[in-house]
Amino acid sequence: MSNIQKYRFVCTLTFGDIYGQIIVWLITITLSLASAMALMGARRPIYALATVGLIILLSLPFLLFAFVTTLLNHIELSPVDAATKTKPIPGNVSQQEPVQATG
């Protein structure tokens, strides 16, 4: 169990990485509801509900697979040397010294 301290775990996932997947899911839901509204005028409205359920049921595993694989692709494990072990620096923080005013 002591080996876990020798690695740094970083998740670099941002909203932009999954933005396209969310848009595709919203389009799928919109088309599903549009087809349900079109079938609602038919003699058997149960077909409308079955259509929505079937589309969501069949598309959900693909969406989940896309999210999980995207997340796993953005997980980084980097080894940490025990001699130079310091606090982790966030990715967007500059390592420059702050400027001091003279007066």
Side-chain angles (χ1 to χ4, degrees):
M1 259 336 245
S2 64
N3 291 341
I4 194 74
Q5 296 175 354
K6 296 180 182 177
Y7 292 94
R8 191 176 105 199
F9 176 81
V10 179
C11 181
T12 60
L13 187 69
T14 61
F15 182 69
D17 297 326
I18 60 171
Y19 188 70
Q21 296 171 8
I22 292 171
I23 296 298
V24 169
W25 176 248
L26 289 175
I27 289 171
T28 302
I29 295 297
T30 303
L31 291 176
S32 170
L33 293 176
S35 65
M37 292 299 288
L39 289 173
M40 206 48 99
R43 292 182 184 241
R44 297 183 183 169
I46 193 74
Y47 289 149
L49 296 174
T51 301
V52 172
L54 188 65
I55 290 174
I56 290 174
L57 182 71
L58 292 177
S59 66
L60 191 59
F62 294 105
L63 176 76
L64 186 63
F65 177 76
F67 279 159
V68 169
T69 54
T70 302
L71 175 65
L72 291 177
N73 284 333
H74 287 276
I75 291 178
E76 297 176 1
L77 284 175
S78 57
V80 176
D81 188 15
T84 60
K85 191 173 183 181
T86 59
K87 290 183 180 178
I89 299 172
N92 295 334
V93 176
S94 174
Q95 295 181 7
Q96 296 177 352
E97 293 290 324
V99 177
Q100 295 180 354
T102 58

XYZ file of all heavy atoms in Angstrom:
787
model
N 0.808 -1.202 0.000
C 0.000 0.000 0.000
C 0.844 1.255 0.000
O 0.344 2.307 -0.321
C -0.875 0.015 1.245
C -2.335 -0.377 1.114
S -3.081 -0.184 -0.465
C -4.252 1.057 -0.092
N 2.107 1.170 0.384
C 2.943 2.365 0.447
C 3.362 2.834 -0.941
O 3.829 3.957 -1.091
C 4.175 2.107 1.306
O 4.972 1.112 0.687
N 3.198 2.006 -1.968
C 3.583 2.403 -3.316
C 2.663 3.455 -3.907
O 3.021 4.116 -4.862
C 3.629 1.186 -4.230
C 4.766 0.264 -3.886
O 5.705 0.667 -3.216
N 4.681 -0.977 -4.329
N 1.464 3.610 -3.383
C 0.513 4.577 -3.932
C 0.997 6.013 -3.731
O 0.638 6.902 -4.470
C -0.900 4.362 -3.330
C -1.967 5.108 -4.131
C -0.944 4.823 -1.885
C -2.270 4.458 -5.433
N 1.850 6.235 -2.757
C 2.356 7.578 -2.494
C 3.444 7.980 -3.482
O 3.856 9.119 -3.502
C 2.890 7.666 -1.066
C 1.807 7.456 -0.035
C 2.364 7.414 1.375
O 3.564 7.429 1.566
N 1.484 7.355 2.344
N 3.886 7.083 -4.316
C 4.942 7.382 -5.263
C 4.413 7.879 -6.600
O 5.178 8.115 -7.522
C 5.813 6.153 -5.476
C 6.541 5.714 -4.223
C 7.370 4.501 -4.479
C 8.048 4.070 -3.192
N 8.822 2.843 -3.376
N 3.116 8.035 -6.716
C 2.510 8.485 -7.959
C 1.590 9.676 -7.715
O 0.973 9.784 -6.667
C 1.707 7.353 -8.613
C 2.575 6.231 -9.107
C 2.813 5.125 -8.318
C 3.169 6.300 -10.350
C 3.620 4.097 -8.758
C 3.980 5.280 -10.808
C 4.204 4.187 -10.008
O 5.003 3.184 -10.444
N 1.530 10.549 -8.696
C 0.628 11.700 -8.628
C -0.533 11.447 -9.579
O -0.330 11.153 -10.750
C 1.372 12.973 -9.022
C 0.585 14.224 -8.714
C 1.397 15.434 -9.027
N 0.833 15.969 -10.262
C 1.435 16.790 -11.070
N 2.660 17.166 -10.831
N 0.854 17.227 -12.141
N -1.735 11.556 -9.091
C -2.962 11.298 -9.844
C -3.555 12.635 -10.275
O -3.868 13.476 -9.435
C -3.942 10.534 -8.952
C -5.273 10.289 -9.580
C -5.449 9.251 -10.462
C -6.353 11.083 -9.279
C -6.682 9.008 -11.025
C -7.582 10.859 -9.839
C -7.748 9.814 -10.715
N -3.703 12.848 -11.601
C -4.221 14.104 -12.117
C -5.293 13.796 -13.157
O -5.084 12.978 -14.054
C -3.103 14.950 -12.768
C -3.656 16.237 -13.327
C -2.011 15.236 -11.774
N -6.421 14.462 -13.039
C -7.481 14.358 -14.042
C -7.519 15.669 -14.818
O -7.767 16.731 -14.262
C -8.825 14.089 -13.382
S -10.161 13.934 -14.579
N -7.270 15.607 -16.120
C -7.201 16.803 -16.954
C -8.470 17.010 -17.772
O -8.457 17.760 -18.745
C -5.992 16.717 -17.894
O -6.145 15.562 -18.723
C -4.691 16.618 -17.109
N -9.555 16.375 -17.387
C -10.807 16.475 -18.129
C -11.405 17.859 -17.966
O -11.483 18.394 -16.857
C -11.793 15.422 -17.626
C -13.100 15.289 -18.400
C -12.824 14.696 -19.771
C -14.061 14.416 -17.648
N -11.816 18.463 -19.068
C -12.495 19.755 -19.037
C -13.857 19.604 -19.702
O -14.152 18.597 -20.346
C -11.679 20.833 -19.773
O -11.538 20.448 -21.145
C -10.311 21.013 -19.139
N -14.674 20.636 -19.552
C -16.000 20.584 -20.145
C -15.909 20.518 -21.668
O -16.735 19.886 -22.316
C -16.823 21.795 -19.710
C -18.219 21.786 -20.249
C -19.134 20.865 -19.795
C -18.614 22.684 -21.227
C -20.430 20.840 -20.289
C -19.896 22.671 -21.721
C -20.800 21.745 -21.257
N -14.917 21.144 -22.251
C -14.760 21.132 -23.697
C -14.497 19.752 -24.256
O -14.773 19.484 -25.425
N -13.967 18.862 -23.434
C -13.691 17.503 -23.894
C -14.962 16.690 -24.093
O -14.986 15.769 -24.908
C -12.784 16.786 -22.893
C -11.425 17.439 -22.760
O -10.925 17.971 -23.766
O -10.869 17.420 -21.651
N -16.004 16.990 -23.344
C -17.241 16.220 -23.454
C -18.381 17.037 -24.054
O -19.507 16.550 -24.149
C -17.672 15.663 -22.072
C -17.904 16.786 -21.080
C -16.666 14.674 -21.561
C -18.531 16.334 -19.797
N -18.085 18.262 -24.481
C -19.125 19.149 -25.007
C -19.824 18.531 -26.219
O -21.047 18.557 -26.325
C -18.505 20.505 -25.369
C -19.495 21.553 -25.748
C -20.335 22.092 -24.788
C -19.599 22.004 -27.062
C -21.256 23.064 -25.120
C -20.516 22.972 -27.401
C -21.342 23.504 -26.430
O -22.256 24.459 -26.768
N -19.077 17.966 -27.145
C -19.669 17.353 -28.335
C -20.561 16.178 -27.998
O -21.612 15.977 -28.611
N -20.156 15.398 -27.000
C -20.967 14.249 -26.592
C -22.295 14.703 -25.993
O -23.332 14.075 -26.222
C -20.194 13.406 -25.590
C -18.946 12.800 -26.164
C -18.080 12.163 -25.113
O -18.472 12.032 -23.961
N -16.887 11.754 -25.494
N -22.265 15.786 -25.252
C -23.499 16.320 -24.663
C -24.428 16.836 -25.758
O -25.645 16.605 -25.719
C -23.168 17.409 -23.634
C -22.472 16.775 -22.429
C -24.416 18.162 -23.203
C -21.917 17.767 -21.444
N -23.872 17.499 -26.750
C -24.688 18.002 -27.865
C -25.346 16.848 -28.623
O -26.534 16.907 -28.959
C -23.825 18.868 -28.813
C -23.329 20.126 -28.092
C -24.579 19.241 -30.076
C -24.426 21.045 -27.613
N -24.597 15.786 -28.883
C -25.167 14.619 -29.583
C -26.284 13.991 -28.755
O -27.327 13.606 -29.285
C -24.057 13.590 -29.904
C -24.639 12.274 -30.366
C -23.114 14.153 -30.946
N -26.093 13.903 -27.427
C -27.121 13.338 -26.562
C -28.378 14.204 -26.582
O -29.497 13.699 -26.647
C -26.574 13.183 -25.148
C -27.572 12.702 -24.151
C -28.073 13.412 -23.118
C -28.207 11.424 -24.094
N -28.962 12.648 -22.414
C -29.069 11.427 -22.991
C -28.118 10.281 -24.868
C -29.835 10.331 -22.641
C -28.904 9.195 -24.517
C -29.739 9.220 -23.416
N -28.217 15.522 -26.556
C -29.376 16.416 -26.608
C -30.107 16.305 -27.940
O -31.349 16.353 -27.981
C -28.943 17.861 -26.357
C -28.510 18.175 -24.929
C -27.992 19.600 -24.834
C -29.651 17.962 -23.959
N -29.373 16.145 -29.031
C -30.009 15.951 -30.339
C -30.775 14.632 -30.350
O -31.897 14.561 -30.871
C -28.950 16.003 -31.458
C -28.430 17.440 -31.620
C -29.508 15.485 -32.775
C -27.241 17.566 -32.535
N -30.209 13.593 -29.764
C -30.886 12.296 -29.699
C -32.192 12.399 -28.921
O -33.228 11.880 -29.356
C -29.965 11.253 -29.036
O -28.762 11.169 -29.775
C -30.633 9.898 -28.970
N -32.149 13.078 -27.776
C -33.363 13.246 -26.975
C -34.403 14.075 -27.731
O -35.598 13.748 -27.728
C -33.020 13.913 -25.623
C -32.125 12.999 -24.795
C -34.270 14.287 -24.845
C -32.768 11.697 -24.404
N -33.965 15.127 -28.407
C -34.892 15.970 -29.158
C -35.555 15.192 -30.286
O -36.773 15.291 -30.484
C -34.150 17.197 -29.726
O -33.530 17.895 -28.641
C -35.092 18.125 -30.457
N -34.776 14.410 -31.026
C -35.361 13.603 -32.098
C -36.295 12.532 -31.548
O -37.327 12.223 -32.152
C -34.252 12.957 -32.929
C -33.423 13.910 -33.789
C -32.301 13.157 -34.489
C -34.300 14.630 -34.791
N -35.961 11.993 -30.409
C -36.820 11.005 -29.774
C -38.168 11.612 -29.394
O -39.224 11.018 -29.647
C -36.122 10.448 -28.539
O -36.998 9.669 -27.782
N -38.111 12.784 -28.798
C -39.369 13.441 -28.412
C -40.163 13.900 -29.635
O -41.399 13.857 -29.630
C -39.074 14.614 -27.491
C -38.522 14.233 -26.117
C -38.166 15.480 -25.323
C -39.522 13.383 -25.366
N -39.468 14.316 -30.691
C -40.165 14.719 -31.918
C -40.873 13.526 -32.554
O -42.014 13.641 -33.022
C -39.180 15.341 -32.897
N -40.215 12.374 -32.569
C -40.870 11.193 -33.134
C -42.039 10.751 -32.255
O -43.061 10.274 -32.760
C -39.867 10.055 -33.301
O -39.390 9.623 -32.042
N -41.918 10.930 -30.951
C -43.028 10.585 -30.062
C -44.220 11.503 -30.299
O -45.371 11.053 -30.297
C -42.583 10.678 -28.614
N -43.952 12.781 -30.507
C -45.051 13.718 -30.779
C -45.721 13.387 -32.120
O -46.936 13.512 -32.256
C -44.530 15.155 -30.804
C -44.056 15.652 -29.451
S -45.350 15.661 -28.213
C -46.326 17.022 -28.790
N -44.929 12.949 -33.096
C -45.502 12.574 -34.392
C -46.359 11.326 -34.255
O -47.411 11.208 -34.897
C -44.390 12.345 -35.407
N -45.947 10.388 -33.424
C -46.712 9.152 -33.245
C -47.883 9.321 -32.281
O -48.753 8.456 -32.209
C -45.797 8.037 -32.742
C -44.795 7.486 -33.751
C -43.855 6.521 -33.064
C -45.534 6.798 -34.891
N -47.908 10.404 -31.535
C -48.970 10.617 -30.557
C -50.323 10.777 -31.243
O -51.362 10.454 -30.671
C -48.635 11.857 -29.727
C -49.220 11.919 -28.346
S -49.028 10.460 -27.342
C -47.652 10.865 -26.353
N -50.310 11.229 -32.475
C -51.565 11.386 -33.213
C -52.089 10.081 -33.781
O -53.199 10.027 -34.289
N -51.302 9.041 -33.701
C -51.732 7.742 -34.228
C -52.821 7.153 -33.328
O -53.109 7.656 -32.249
C -50.537 6.792 -34.319
N -53.399 6.069 -33.762
C -54.479 5.455 -32.996
C -53.981 4.816 -31.711
O -54.730 4.668 -30.758
C -55.182 4.394 -33.850
C -55.929 4.987 -35.005
C -56.644 3.889 -35.770
N -57.288 4.467 -36.936
C -58.591 4.421 -37.128
N -59.358 3.806 -36.261
N -59.112 4.968 -38.185
N -52.714 4.417 -31.665
C -52.162 3.785 -30.471
C -50.992 4.618 -29.936
O -49.860 4.461 -30.385
C -51.681 2.380 -30.804
C -52.818 1.497 -31.238
C -52.340 0.103 -31.489
N -53.450 -0.705 -31.980
C -53.299 -1.890 -32.478
N -52.097 -2.435 -32.567
N -54.343 -2.569 -32.900
N -51.247 5.468 -28.961
C -50.171 6.322 -28.429
C -49.118 5.550 -27.627
O -48.079 6.111 -27.304
C -50.903 7.319 -27.533
C -52.218 6.718 -27.250
C -52.548 5.792 -28.380
N -49.391 4.283 -27.346
C -48.375 3.492 -26.649
C -47.129 3.333 -27.503
O -46.014 3.194 -26.991
C -48.952 2.116 -26.225
C -48.033 1.418 -25.222
C -49.162 1.233 -27.421
C -48.080 2.012 -23.868
N -47.300 3.399 -28.844
C -46.144 3.342 -29.733
C -45.230 4.556 -29.525
O -44.019 4.449 -29.667
C -46.583 3.279 -31.200
C -47.214 1.961 -31.591
C -48.201 1.912 -32.565
C -46.819 0.770 -30.992
C -48.774 0.703 -32.936
C -47.397 -0.437 -31.350
C -48.366 -0.464 -32.328
O -48.934 -1.657 -32.686
N -45.821 5.693 -29.222
C -45.024 6.897 -28.979
C -44.149 6.721 -27.745
O -42.946 7.029 -27.768
C -45.938 8.112 -28.813
N -44.722 6.220 -26.674
C -43.948 6.001 -25.457
C -42.899 4.916 -25.659
O -41.779 5.021 -25.151
C -44.882 5.634 -24.314
C -45.884 6.726 -23.898
C -46.837 6.184 -22.851
C -45.149 7.941 -23.395
N -43.248 3.874 -26.397
C -42.295 2.803 -26.671
C -41.127 3.313 -27.515
O -39.978 2.904 -27.306
C -42.991 1.646 -27.383
N -41.406 4.219 -28.446
C -40.346 4.782 -29.279
C -39.359 5.586 -28.446
O -38.142 5.435 -28.580
C -40.945 5.679 -30.374
O -41.835 4.889 -31.170
C -39.870 6.279 -31.246
N -39.872 6.439 -27.554
C -38.993 7.234 -26.687
C -38.159 6.314 -25.796
O -36.940 6.476 -25.679
C -39.820 8.222 -25.834
C -38.939 8.906 -24.807
C -40.494 9.253 -26.717
N -38.806 5.353 -25.178
C -38.092 4.437 -24.299
C -37.038 3.631 -25.033
O -35.925 3.446 -24.528
N -37.358 3.167 -26.224
C -36.418 2.367 -26.994
C -35.203 3.190 -27.433
O -34.061 2.724 -27.330
C -37.120 1.769 -28.216
C -36.322 0.753 -29.024
C -36.048 -0.479 -28.165
C -37.073 0.373 -30.275
N -35.428 4.408 -27.880
C -34.312 5.256 -28.316
C -33.403 5.589 -27.139
O -32.173 5.498 -27.236
C -34.837 6.527 -29.008
C -35.454 6.161 -30.354
C -33.719 7.543 -29.196
C -36.136 7.303 -31.062
N -33.979 5.938 -26.010
C -33.168 6.267 -24.839
C -32.445 5.021 -24.328
O -31.256 5.063 -23.996
C -34.032 6.912 -23.748
C -34.469 8.301 -24.196
C -33.273 7.009 -22.430
C -35.433 8.988 -23.271
N -33.140 3.912 -24.289
C -32.533 2.673 -23.800
C -31.369 2.218 -24.680
O -30.344 1.752 -24.175
C -33.593 1.569 -23.724
C -33.119 0.235 -23.179
C -32.849 0.372 -21.677
C -34.159 -0.838 -23.430
N -31.507 2.371 -25.993
C -30.444 1.935 -26.892
C -29.287 2.918 -26.979
O -28.152 2.525 -27.242
C -31.020 1.673 -28.291
C -31.957 0.482 -28.400
C -32.506 0.369 -29.813
C -31.248 -0.792 -27.997
N -29.547 4.205 -26.757
C -28.474 5.189 -26.886
C -27.712 5.409 -25.578
O -26.572 5.871 -25.603
C -29.032 6.523 -27.391
O -29.892 7.100 -26.433
N -28.311 5.090 -24.451
C -27.654 5.325 -23.166
C -26.344 4.546 -22.996
O -25.353 5.130 -22.535
C -28.626 5.016 -22.023
C -28.197 5.457 -20.639
C -27.981 6.963 -20.609
C -29.229 5.060 -19.616
N -26.258 3.269 -23.370
C -24.956 2.585 -23.229
C -23.847 3.212 -24.070
O -22.704 3.292 -23.641
C -25.247 1.158 -23.698
C -26.703 0.989 -23.532
C -27.311 2.325 -23.767
N -24.179 3.687 -25.261
C -23.171 4.332 -26.098
C -22.707 5.644 -25.483
O -21.519 5.968 -25.511
C -23.714 4.567 -27.510
C -23.975 3.297 -28.258
C -25.265 2.840 -28.434
C -22.923 2.555 -28.773
C -25.510 1.658 -29.118
C -23.149 1.369 -29.459
C -24.452 0.928 -29.627
N -23.632 6.399 -24.916
C -23.273 7.650 -24.257
C -22.399 7.379 -23.040
O -21.377 8.045 -22.838
C -24.537 8.405 -23.833
C -24.287 9.684 -23.051
C -23.837 10.780 -23.994
C -25.518 10.093 -22.301
N -22.769 6.401 -22.244
C -21.990 6.058 -21.061
C -20.589 5.587 -21.443
O -19.596 5.977 -20.825
C -22.720 4.976 -20.264
C -22.129 4.600 -18.924
C -22.150 5.799 -17.981
C -22.893 3.452 -18.321
N -20.491 4.783 -22.483
C -19.184 4.320 -22.951
C -18.323 5.497 -23.413
O -17.127 5.558 -23.104
C -19.364 3.317 -24.092
C -18.077 2.840 -24.690
C -17.302 1.909 -24.025
C -17.640 3.326 -25.906
C -16.108 1.472 -24.556
C -16.445 2.889 -26.451
C -15.680 1.959 -25.776
N -18.920 6.443 -24.123
C -18.161 7.609 -24.594
C -17.670 8.448 -23.421
O -16.517 8.901 -23.408
C -19.028 8.448 -25.528
N -18.518 8.686 -22.428
C -18.111 9.468 -21.263
C -16.989 8.783 -20.492
O -16.001 9.404 -20.117
C -19.286 9.701 -20.317
C -20.189 10.832 -20.722
C -21.482 10.878 -20.242
C -19.764 11.842 -21.548
C -22.326 11.913 -20.588
C -20.591 12.882 -21.909
C -21.882 12.915 -21.438
N -17.137 7.492 -20.250
C -16.156 6.771 -19.444
C -14.811 6.687 -20.161
O -13.758 6.914 -19.550
C -16.678 5.366 -19.077
C -15.583 4.504 -18.469
C -17.843 5.491 -18.112
N -14.810 6.403 -21.452
C -13.541 6.327 -22.172
C -12.876 7.689 -22.267
O -11.648 7.787 -22.183
C -13.723 5.735 -23.579
O -14.718 6.478 -24.279
C -14.100 4.277 -23.503
N -13.660 8.753 -22.422
C -13.085 10.097 -22.432
C -12.465 10.414 -21.076
O -11.364 10.964 -21.000
C -14.160 11.146 -22.782
O -14.720 10.826 -24.056
C -13.565 12.535 -22.830
N -13.147 10.059 -20.009
C -12.601 10.293 -18.673
C -11.321 9.505 -18.453
O -10.326 10.039 -17.955
C -13.639 9.920 -17.612
C -13.173 10.006 -16.160
C -12.855 11.447 -15.789
C -14.214 9.435 -15.236
N -11.315 8.244 -18.836
C -10.124 7.416 -18.639
C -8.938 7.901 -19.474
O -7.788 7.746 -19.071
C -10.436 5.953 -18.951
C -11.365 5.265 -17.957
C -11.660 3.843 -18.409
C -10.796 5.278 -16.558
N -9.219 8.488 -20.632
C -8.137 9.021 -21.455
C -7.520 10.280 -20.866
O -6.434 10.685 -21.280
C -8.636 9.314 -22.871
C -8.782 8.054 -23.679
O -8.103 7.076 -23.438
N -9.689 8.080 -24.639
N -8.199 10.923 -19.928
C -7.698 12.160 -19.334
C -7.194 11.963 -17.906
O -7.029 12.934 -17.179
C -8.789 13.235 -19.359
C -9.019 13.775 -20.731
N -8.256 14.772 -21.274
C -9.908 13.441 -21.687
C -8.667 15.033 -22.491
N -9.681 14.233 -22.763
N -6.952 10.743 -17.507
C -6.377 10.477 -16.191
C -4.889 10.212 -16.376
O -4.495 9.400 -17.205
C -7.064 9.280 -15.512
C -8.482 9.660 -15.131
C -6.281 8.837 -14.291
C -9.274 8.542 -14.506
N -4.090 10.932 -15.612
C -2.644 10.791 -15.709
C -2.079 10.337 -14.366
O -2.440 10.887 -13.324
C -1.988 12.113 -16.086
C -2.389 12.639 -17.439
C -1.782 13.994 -17.736
O -1.031 14.518 -16.888
O -2.064 14.518 -18.810
N -1.215 9.356 -14.405
C -0.451 8.927 -13.242
C 1.012 9.205 -13.554
O 1.568 8.633 -14.490
C -0.645 7.444 -12.955
C -1.956 7.041 -12.314
C -2.047 5.530 -12.210
C -2.104 7.664 -10.963
N 1.611 10.097 -12.800
C 3.017 10.402 -13.039
C 3.815 10.079 -11.786
O 3.388 10.389 -10.671
C 3.192 11.863 -13.437
O 2.653 12.709 -12.447
N 4.964 9.447 -11.950
C 5.769 9.096 -10.784
C 6.329 10.339 -10.099
O 6.686 11.311 -10.747
C 6.883 8.234 -11.360
C 6.918 8.542 -12.805
C 5.560 9.008 -13.190
N 6.374 10.293 -8.766
C 6.906 11.388 -7.969
C 8.175 10.892 -7.286
O 8.160 9.859 -6.617
C 5.875 11.857 -6.926
C 6.464 12.926 -6.033
C 4.621 12.363 -7.603
N 9.257 11.635 -7.466
C 10.519 11.283 -6.826
C 10.453 11.681 -5.363
O 10.062 12.798 -5.026
C 11.666 11.995 -7.531
C 13.023 11.522 -7.054
O 13.074 10.461 -6.394
O 14.010 12.207 -7.338
N 10.824 10.799 -4.469
C 10.739 11.071 -3.029
C 11.678 12.198 -2.609
O 11.391 12.935 -1.668
C 11.057 9.813 -2.239
N 12.794 12.380 -3.309
C 13.756 13.429 -2.945
C 13.242 14.816 -3.299
O 13.546 15.795 -2.620
C 15.083 13.179 -3.637
N 12.447 14.928 -4.349
C 11.946 16.228 -4.785
C 10.453 16.366 -4.561
O 9.782 17.090 -5.269
C 12.253 16.436 -6.276
O 11.605 15.404 -7.016
C 13.737 16.429 -6.534
N 9.937 15.658 -3.577
C 8.497 15.665 -3.317
C 8.092 17.006 -2.719
O 8.560 17.410 -1.668
C 8.140 14.536 -2.357
C 6.665 14.303 -2.225
C 6.406 13.062 -1.396
C 4.923 12.794 -1.326
N 4.630 11.627 -0.516
N 7.223 17.723 -3.439
C 6.689 19.009 -2.984
C 5.195 19.018 -3.222
O 4.629 18.066 -3.740
C 7.331 20.189 -3.747
O 7.065 20.017 -5.150
C 8.835 20.254 -3.501
N 4.571 20.126 -2.889
C 3.142 20.252 -3.148
C 2.914 20.293 -4.657
O 3.678 20.922 -5.385
C 2.602 21.541 -2.530
C 2.559 21.525 -1.023
C 1.937 22.817 -0.530
C 1.874 22.839 0.973
N 1.321 24.095 1.471
N 1.850 19.656 -5.157
C 1.578 19.708 -6.590
C 1.163 21.121 -7.005
O 0.445 21.812 -6.283
C 0.442 18.711 -6.792
C -0.130 18.475 -5.441
C 0.930 18.793 -4.443
N 1.659 21.536 -8.147
C 1.337 22.850 -8.682
C 0.229 22.673 -9.702
O 0.368 21.892 -10.648
C 2.574 23.482 -9.345
C 3.676 23.648 -8.297
C 2.226 24.809 -9.980
C 4.993 24.084 -8.880
N -0.908 23.395 -9.566
C -1.974 23.293 -10.561
C -1.465 23.701 -11.937
O -0.541 24.510 -12.057
C -3.041 24.258 -10.054
C -2.751 24.416 -8.586
C -1.272 24.242 -8.438
N -2.064 23.161 -12.975
C -1.596 23.367 -14.338
C -1.601 24.801 -14.820
O -0.794 25.180 -15.653
N -2.500 25.653 -14.336
C -2.610 27.007 -14.852
C -1.869 28.040 -14.013
O -1.954 29.222 -14.272
C -4.083 27.415 -14.946
C -4.819 26.570 -15.961
O -4.215 26.054 -16.889
N -6.111 26.422 -15.782
N -1.148 27.635 -12.997
C -0.458 28.572 -12.121
C 0.953 28.803 -12.650
O 1.669 27.870 -12.951
C -0.398 28.025 -10.673
C 0.407 28.947 -9.780
C -1.796 27.850 -10.127
N 1.331 30.054 -12.750
C 2.670 30.391 -13.210
C 3.665 30.165 -12.087
O 3.361 30.365 -10.914
C 2.697 31.853 -13.657
O 4.009 32.228 -13.976
N 4.897 29.777 -12.431
C 5.916 29.522 -11.433
C 6.827 30.731 -11.225
O 7.879 30.623 -10.619
C 6.743 28.305 -11.829
C 5.937 27.036 -11.845
C 6.783 25.833 -12.207
O 7.986 25.917 -12.321
N 6.131 24.700 -12.395
N 6.444 31.897 -11.733
C 7.259 33.096 -11.586
C 7.021 33.737 -10.228
O 5.958 33.589 -9.628
C 6.929 34.099 -12.687
C 7.261 33.589 -14.071
C 6.858 34.578 -15.144
O 6.201 35.574 -14.851
N 7.238 34.303 -16.365
N 8.027 34.460 -9.767
C 7.919 35.187 -8.491
C 6.999 36.389 -8.690
O 7.020 37.034 -9.739
C 9.300 35.655 -8.036
C 10.238 34.523 -7.646
C 9.805 33.860 -6.365
O 9.311 34.558 -5.460
O 9.931 32.624 -6.278
N 6.200 36.771 -7.676
C 5.357 37.957 -7.801
C 6.213 39.238 -7.789
O 7.261 39.285 -7.167
C 4.454 37.895 -6.581
C 5.156 37.007 -5.629
C 5.978 36.063 -6.443
N 5.736 40.240 -8.495
C 6.433 41.524 -8.576
C 6.075 42.339 -7.331
O 4.911 42.456 -6.969
C 6.036 42.274 -9.852
C 6.700 43.639 -9.889
C 6.376 41.461 -11.068
N 7.103 42.916 -6.687
C 6.870 43.733 -5.504
C 6.998 45.207 -5.862
O 7.896 45.590 -6.617
C 7.861 43.385 -4.393
C 7.683 41.980 -3.872
C 8.686 41.662 -2.768
O 9.564 42.441 -2.478
N 8.506 40.505 -2.154
N 6.095 45.993 -5.336
C 6.134 47.435 -5.604
C 7.200 48.096 -4.747
O 7.431 47.737 -3.600
C 4.763 48.063 -5.285
N 7.884 49.083 -5.322
C 8.884 49.854 -4.580
C 8.331 51.238 -4.328
O 7.659 51.805 -5.190
C 10.219 49.928 -5.337
O 9.976 50.530 -6.618
C 10.814 48.537 -5.511
N 8.622 51.786 -3.223
C 8.021 53.085 -3.023
C 8.711 53.849 -2.047
O 8.892 54.669 -1.429
